[in-house]
Amino acid sequence: MTCTLEKQPCILDEKAKKVIRKALKVLGKKNLAFIMHNGSFPSAENQNTGFGSINSDGGKEFIEYASGLFDAIQLGPAGKTKSCDSSPYTGTIFSGNPLFINLKELTSKEWGKILSEETYYEIVSANPNKNDNKTAYSYVYKKYGEALQEAWNNFKANPVKKLDKEFQVFKRENDFWLDKDSLYEALSIEHGNDYWPLWSSETDKNLFNPQSIEQRMEFAKRIEEIEKKYSDEIELYKFTQFVISKQNEETREFAKKHNIKMIADRQVAFSDRDTWAYQSLFLKGWCLGCPPDYFSKDGQAWGFPVMDPDRMYNSDGSLDDGGLLLKNLYKKMFKENPGGVRIDHIVGLIDPWVYKAGKKPKIEEGAGRLYSSPEHPELSKYAIARMENLNDEVTADKEKRIKDLDKKQIKDYGRLIEKIVVAAAKEEGLDKDSIVCEDLGTLTTPVASVMKEFGLQGMKLTQFVEADKPEDPYRCCNIDNRCWAMVGTHDNEPIKMWADQNIHTHVGYLHAKNLVDDLFAEADNKDDIIVRLTDDAKFLAQTKLVELFASKAENIQIFFTDYFNVYDVYNRPGTSGDANWSLRLPDNYKELSCINLAVILKLAIIARGHEFAEKNHKMIEKLEELIG
């Protein structure tokens, strides 16, 4: 076989797209989704401000590019991030990220030209990364703030009547989260920083966490005082959120016309802003993290708050304030993203690992699973698992510590999924297939049981295959149809880089052997193919993509670095710095050479066996015509 991984131009005509779509159907694929976080979107010509957005002209051009080939675009978390932390996974749960605003649109007549073209093009001209496919986070954070202040000042002075009316409606409909988030903005100005634990006033730290009627009255007066003192700053914050919301809605309509759906990403974390606003709903003294494992001997101390089980449900089973908070969040996400919601770290939702604040997330320092620790002196009151469910030979931090569960226990573990996530999806007209569960890595017995009970779809990452384990769930022959499969996510190296690192290694040989067994079962020259896979990185990378499409998975996702052969990493877990979360698709992406889907799909059909290939020989011929 000739490796043509890098020989397909990135522009496919409508005829070629139709052939590709038919080939995907032959292979049993229901969805092909493109993964790219908002900041990574390319810019249109002369519009590179330093940060990407699907709302920009460049974003809409990409939607047009993807139309007819992809079904959906998987975005990253959409919350507001901090000036000192660009990670989308620590953003706000309700407020949108102002950096996703299309500033150019604010210079248009429809928006009353509230932003001057001079300001806009100054931002574009001074972008320090205008010749590089990287975001300029610190630069745009400051410049967008200045531009939005100008836009707000002009809007106040000369409001567009239609937009002003919509703005007033937006504020009323979203006051349940908007009032708190904008008040936090005012208090950040008052105290000179946006990290509330450093504020000098205990009152301001606890405005929504009163401990008595007297405090409630005192705090209400303080809120009124701050709202009056910073009324303009508060209105600016609300206006910014209105702009984001309106542009998002217009982009959804644009995407709908091009048959592209958006898939949202719900991070496991709560931002500082959310922790402050809803601290009364969190379990005091406990944080969410990960137990020690191969990658981290002390575990991962994320420091994220944990929902208090006592504030999730009332005695009659209805939702208490904590449950209502989460349901409102998911309802908003499903409403705004008809393609569904990817839930990051589903384990943290169903069977979270918690540790004491100030300690390490280790058993010997008091850590444990919130609902699976009947022996724990402090967590036992929340336990759904009973002592007889425990495997005494397995420590509390291991996946299979819970050996079995009865039906009632599974239902109790799944109460949040049933009453909040699935219920929110149904109320917004979606079904359980709109829920994508990130279940990579640790998968405890309670999580696996709940996902099976509710028929939830998890993820299979073929780059994660442990090649020495025949039953590895990420290996092609073991992937079932009810899942979302991909070669890598935002946390992985692109498949080309992975292949370069695995040739001429023993691990690479094991991968090669598995690939031959799974994809070349009927070949007469298996040994030759193994040798080539261990020597030729391009061939190995292509074959890993063939494995993805040859699998039974009904839904396929592909990260932008893999599709466009971008030889760079978006995020390296466990590291920090400007390199993370900054990679963008180059503005000239249409001139790049992306993966050759025609070749990959043809080989995937052949990999299913001679009988399958014979049955679909006409499809193979059509793909060969595209290959040329």
Side-chain angles (χ1 to χ4, degrees):
M1 290 184 293
T2 302
C3 176
T4 53
L5 184 65
E6 298 180 285
K7 293 185 178 180
Q8 177 181 292
C10 283
I11 299 179
L12 297 176
D13 59 28
E14 293 306 310
K15 180 182 177 181
K17 287 181 178 180
K18 287 180 180 178
V19 173
I20 296 294
R21 293 299 306 182
K22 288 180 180 178
L24 288 168
K25 188 174 182 180
V26 163
L27 288 164
K29 310 308 176 192
K30 291 183 177 180
N31 291 289
L32 177 61
F34 190 86
I35 309 175
M36 186 158 63
H37 288 188
N38 229 319
S40 297
F41 275 84
S43 298
E45 188 175 0
N46 297 320
Q47 294 184 25
N48 189 346
T49 61
F51 207 81
S53 173
I54 197 169
N55 294 325
S56 69
D57 290 349
K60 290 184 174 68
E61 287 177 7
F62 186 83
I63 290 174
E64 291 177 325
Y65 168 84
S67 179
L69 182 60
F70 292 93
D71 299 282
I73 298 176
Q74 163 77 65
L75 301 170
K80 177 176 170 58
T81 49
K82 294 169 62 68
S83 60
C84 61
D85 186 359
S86 63
S87 171
Y89 287 91
T90 58
T92 51
I93 61 175
F94 288 115
S95 284
N97 194 335
L99 302 185
F100 298 162
I101 288 176
N102 177 8
L103 290 181
K104 188 174 188 300
E105 190 175 318
L106 302 187
T107 69
S108 69
K109 184 178 178 181
E110 289 74 16
W111 279 87
K113 299 183 178 181
I114 56 176
L115 181 67
S116 70
E117 289 189 348
E118 181 182 9
T119 296
Y120 174 74
Y121 285 113
E122 280 180 1
I123 294 173
V124 172
S125 177
N127 169 19
N129 289 347
K130 59 186 173 184
N131 297 316
D132 193 8
N133 61 317
K134 294 290 180 75
T135 62
Y137 186 76
S138 297
Y139 171 77
V140 296
Y141 199 97
K142 179 177 183 293
K143 290 298 183 181
Y144 273 52
E146 294 171 356
L148 291 167
Q149 180 70 65
E150 176 187 318
W152 169 238
N153 290 341
N154 290 329
F155 186 81
K156 282 188 302 177
N158 188 24
V160 178
K161 188 174 295 185
K162 179 178 178 294
L163 292 176
D164 189 46
K165 186 176 180 180
E166 291 178 8
F167 178 38
Q168 303 310 318
V169 172
F170 173 80
K171 287 190 290 185
R172 289 195 299 271
E173 291 182 347
N174 295 277
D175 60 357
F176 69 96
W177 62 268
L178 190 57
D179 289 350
K180 290 185 177 69
D181 281 12
S182 58
L183 186 68
Y184 188 91
E185 191 75 3
L187 288 167
S188 297
I189 298 170
E190 173 84 353
H191 292 281
N193 71 80
D194 61 357
Y195 184 52
W196 67 274
L198 295 181
W199 296 349
S200 57
S201 169
E202 290 300 316
T203 295
D204 289 353
K205 289 180 181 179
N206 292 282
L207 286 178
F208 294 103
N209 188 32
Q211 302 300 308
S212 65
I213 295 177
E214 290 75 20
Q215 272 196 345
R216 188 181 299 275
M217 294 174 63
E218 175 192 344
F219 292 177
K221 289 180 180 178
R222 176 59 173 165
I223 292 173
E224 185 178 346
E225 176 187 331
I226 292 295
E227 288 177 338
K228 183 177 180 179
K229 182 177 180 181
Y230 295 100
S231 59
D232 192 63
E233 289 81 358
I234 286 172
E235 284 297 289
L236 166 59
Y237 187 93
K238 292 180 178 181
F239 179 73
T240 299
Q241 292 303 309
F242 164 66
V243 176
I244 300 169
S245 177
K246 184 170 177 61
Q247 289 190 349
N248 285 346
E249 185 177 353
E250 290 171 350
T251 300
R252 284 195 298 274
E253 287 302 313
F254 182 86
K256 184 178 180 180
K257 291 178 182 178
H258 289 83
N259 296 312
I260 294 288
K261 295 180 179 179
M262 309 300 177
I263 301 175
D265 195 349
R266 164 61 187 138
Q267 74 269 26
V268 69
F270 290 88
S271 70
D272 297 334
R273 194 175 302 250
D274 302 314
T275 305
W276 168 81
Y278 307 108
Q279 60 187 287
S280 64
L281 304 179
F282 297 123
L283 192 59
K284 189 174 182 180
W286 291 88
C287 300
L288 181 69
C290 277
D293 57 19
Y294 174 81
F295 300 101
S296 175
K297 66 177 183 178
D298 290 330
Q300 297 179 46
W302 292 336
F304 303 150
V306 181
M307 295 298 300
D308 186 343
D310 291 334
R311 299 302 310 276
M312 290 293 291
Y313 313 98
N314 296 310
S315 57
D316 62 358
S318 62
L319 298 180
D320 197 355
D321 287 347
L324 289 171
L325 172 69
L326 289 183
K327 188 174 182 183
N328 283 333
L329 165 62
Y330 278 102
K331 278 178 64 66
K332 184 174 186 288
M333 295 186 77
F334 283 118
K335 180 180 180 180
E336 295 176 353
N337 299 276
V341 175
R342 170 191 181 272
I343 302 176
D344 189 45
H345 195 62
I346 190 68
V347 176
L349 205 60
I350 299 172
D351 196 19
W353 180 263
V354 299
Y355 65 97
K356 293 184 176 182
K359 301 288 186 178
K360 293 180 179 178
K362 303 170 70 172
I363 297 172
E364 53 268 36
E365 296 195 26
R369 293 210 173 273
L370 183 59
Y371 300 116
S372 302
S373 303
E375 81 298 350
H376 196 288
E378 296 174 65
L379 300 178
S380 59
K381 63 179 179 178
Y382 305 120
I384 296 172
R386 298 184 293 268
M387 292 297 294
E388 58 265 30
N389 300 125
L390 305 184
N391 183 339
D392 295 334
E393 297 179 0
V394 177
T395 55
D397 56 348
K398 298 298 186 290
E399 284 183 300
K400 305 303 179 185
R401 202 238 183 161
I402 304 295
K403 59 186 179 181
D404 55 24
L405 295 167
D406 61 36
K407 289 185 177 181
K408 183 180 182 306
Q409 287 174 308
I410 294 173
K411 188 173 181 63
D412 287 342
Y413 272 107
R415 185 157 60 159
L416 189 151
I417 296 296
E418 179 182 20
K419 289 182 173 290
I420 294 174
V421 182
V422 173
K426 286 182 177 179
E427 289 177 21
E428 296 303 329
L430 302 175
D431 59 26
K432 63 185 179 183
D433 283 352
S434 64
I435 303 166
V436 182
C437 300
E438 189 277 289
D439 58 346
L440 304 173
T442 301
L443 191 64
T444 66
T445 299
V447 177
S449 300
V450 168
M451 290 185 64
K452 182 179 180 181
E453 175 70 18
F454 289 94
L456 299 179
Q457 297 185 84
M459 295 166 61
K460 296 294 185 285
L461 195 76
T462 61
Q463 196 180 130
F464 273 6
V465 172
E466 293 186 53
D468 59 342
K469 297 181 179 179
E471 302 303 316
D472 188 282
Y474 302 139
R475 182 176 165 181
C476 179
C477 61
N478 300 323
I479 295 175
D480 60 22
N481 63 321
R482 291 280 300 166
C483 71
W484 289 79
M486 62 215 70
V487 290
T489 69
H490 60 267
D491 285 334
N492 300 109
E493 296 164 334
I495 197 63
K496 282 184 65 181
M497 191 179 292
W498 177 91
D500 282 343
Q501 294 172 355
N502 279 278
I503 58 167
H504 306 140
T505 68
H506 177 64
V507 171
Y509 164 76
L510 294 177
H511 280 290
K513 189 174 182 304
N514 288 344
L515 289 168
V516 168
D517 288 343
D518 292 353
L519 305 177
F520 302 89
E522 298 173 357
D524 295 327
N525 59 335
K526 291 181 181 180
D527 288 343
D528 293 337
I529 299 172
I530 290 175
V531 170
R532 186 177 174 195
L533 284 169
T534 56
D535 287 341
D536 187 339
K538 291 181 180 179
F539 184 52
L540 177 58
Q542 176 180 264
T543 306
K544 286 296 287 183
L545 287 162
V546 172
E547 174 188 36
L548 177 68
F549 287 93
S551 74
K552 294 179 181 178
E554 294 177 342
N555 307 295
I556 302 296
Q557 290 184 322
I558 187 160
F559 195 60
F560 79 93
T561 57
D562 289 316
Y563 185 78
F564 284 99
N565 290 312
V566 177
Y567 203 81
D568 205 344
V569 180
Y570 180 62
N571 176 59
R572 291 188 182 277
T575 67
S576 59
D578 291 342
N580 285 343
W581 318 112
S582 66
L583 187 65
R584 296 180 67 182
L585 181 62
D587 293 347
N588 67 336
Y589 64 94
K590 292 179 183 178
E591 300 172 15
L592 303 178
S593 292
C594 59
I595 61 173
N596 196 321
L597 277 177
V599 169
I600 291 166
L601 295 178
K602 171 194 168 183
L603 296 177
I605 292 173
I606 294 172
R608 290 277 186 92
H610 177 74
E611 186 176 336
F612 187 82
E614 277 293 305
K615 181 181 177 181
N616 295 287
H617 70 278
K618 289 185 178 180
M619 187 73 258
I620 292 176
E621 290 174 358
K622 289 180 180 179
L623 290 168
E624 288 176 338
E625 288 178 13
L626 292 184
I627 297 166

